[in-house]
Amino acid sequence: CMVLSGPDDRAFCSHFGVSDAFDASALVADGAALLRRLGPCHVHCAGYFSCAALRKTLPRLLLAAREVGATTSLDTNNDASGQWGAVDGLWDVLLPLLDLFTPNELEACAVAGVPAGDVEAALARLSRQVGGSVVITRGRDGALVGGRAVETRAVSAPPVVARDAVGAGDAFKAGLLACFVSGADLAEAARYGCLTGALCVTTRGACSDPPDGARVAAFAAQHGLSSVASALPACGGLSSAADGQQQSDGQQQEEGRSEREERAAVPADD
C-alpha cells in the first residue's frame, strides 16, 4: 500500500493480495473456542471494503462472537468501486449485529444512502439499522454519536496543527474502543477518541511511536482536557504507575546517596 499524505487528507494505492481472499471460516471454527476461553471481550473488524471474501462471511463471525458474549464493532474504509456494499446486500444483515458502527462522515452518508454532507440524516438512518450505537468521525470537527438508546451528541476535537492525517481515524477508534470496553459512557469514549486522533495528526508516521495512556493524558492536560482523559480508567493507572516508578527511582537514589554518606562518615580502620 502506498500512501499520499497531506495535512488535511490522504489517499491510498493498495494491492489487496491475500486480504482479498481471506475469509472468516478459520476464525469462526477456532475463534469461538478462543473467545470462550478469554471470557468477555470485544471483536473489532476494520478494512471492510479491502477484504472481499471476509466481507461476505463476516456475519457468521459476528454471530459467533455475540453467541459467546463478545461485543462487536465495524469500521469501514473507502469503497473504491463506489457501490458501498449495495451489491452485496449485506448491510441489513451486518448492521444489526454491531454494538458499534464507526464510519467517517463520507462513509456514513454513502452507506446510509443520503446526500454527501448530510451527516445528521446519515446518523438518523444508521441508528435505526445498527443494533447498538453509531459514532461518525468528522476529522477536525470531532465526532457525532447516536443510536437507538443513545442521545445524539456532537463531540469536539481539540484544535491542533496537523502534520500528517494518516492513521487519525484508526487512532480515534483505538481510543474510543479502549474506553468503550472499559465501560465508559459512549460520548466520553468519543471525546477520548478525539484526543487520540488529534494527537496522532501532530506527528509524522502514525505507527512509528504509538502513544500510551500516560502520553494521551499529558496531551490532554496541555489542552485543558484532563477530565476527558479520565474516561479511560487505564490512564489513571498508567499515570499512577509512572508516578510511582518516578517516586521509587527517587527513593532508590536517595537511599543510595544516604548509604554513601554513611560510609563516608565511618572512619577507616587503621
Side-chain angles (χ1 to χ4, degrees):
C1 178
M2 295 185 294
V3 181
L4 304 176
S5 177
D8 297 317
D9 205 349
R10 67 276 182 273
F12 300 88
C13 181
S14 302
H15 174 66
F16 293 138
V18 69
S19 65
D20 211 33
F22 174 76
D23 67 25
S25 299
L27 294 176
V28 172
D30 302 329
L34 175 61
L35 290 172
R36 288 190 183 94
R37 290 198 300 271
L38 290 174
C41 60
H42 183 85
V43 175
H44 178 65
C45 304
Y48 180 75
F49 288 112
S50 298
C51 307
L54 178 62
R55 186 166 74 243
K56 296 174 182 178
T57 54
L58 189 56
R60 292 168 52 205
L61 175 61
L62 296 178
L63 278 169
R66 292 172 71 89
E67 285 174 358
V68 296
T71 51
T72 59
S73 58
L74 174 66
D75 178 21
T76 69
N77 58 334
N78 184 64
D79 183 6
S81 73
Q83 297 179 16
W84 294 99
V87 67
D88 294 333
L90 290 175
W91 289 125
D92 290 340
V93 177
L94 274 174
L95 294 180
L97 299 176
L98 299 175
D99 293 286
L100 278 180
F101 184 45
T102 60
N104 65 28
E105 53 189 329
L106 183 151
E107 295 159 355
C109 291
V111 172
V114 303
D118 196 348
V119 185
E120 289 77 12
L123 179 64
R125 180 167 295 183
L126 292 172
S127 293
R128 293 192 294 269
Q129 295 176 279
V130 173
S133 303
V134 182
V135 179
I136 301 175
T137 57
R138 308 188 68 186
R140 68 182 64 187
D141 294 325
L144 195 61
V145 175
R148 297 186 183 188
V150 177
E151 180 184 358
T152 299
R153 302 279 293 276
V155 177
S156 61
V160 296
V161 177
R163 299 184 62 196
D164 187 350
V166 174
D170 292 328
F172 173 93
K173 278 39 174 280
L176 170 79
L177 291 174
C179 290
F180 177 76
V181 299
S182 298
D185 172 79
L186 187 59
E188 292 301 317
R191 289 190 181 93
Y192 190 84
C194 286
L195 276 179
T196 53
L199 175 58
C200 177
V201 304
T202 61
T203 58
R204 293 192 184 279
C207 299
S208 59
D209 185 23
D212 59 13
R215 187 170 156 201
V216 177
F219 176 77
Q222 292 172 3
H223 290 80
L225 297 170
S226 293
S227 61
V228 176
S230 66
L232 180 61
C235 282
L238 287 170
S239 298
S240 298
D243 293 343
Q245 183 62 50
Q246 291 174 356
Q247 292 173 4
S248 176
D249 293 343
Q251 183 178 359
Q252 291 175 2
Q253 292 172 3
E254 184 62 32
E255 290 174 352
R257 183 161 51 248
S258 298
E259 184 178 350
R260 290 193 297 272
E261 291 172 352
E262 289 174 0
R263 288 176 179 173
V266 176
D269 292 337
D270 292 334

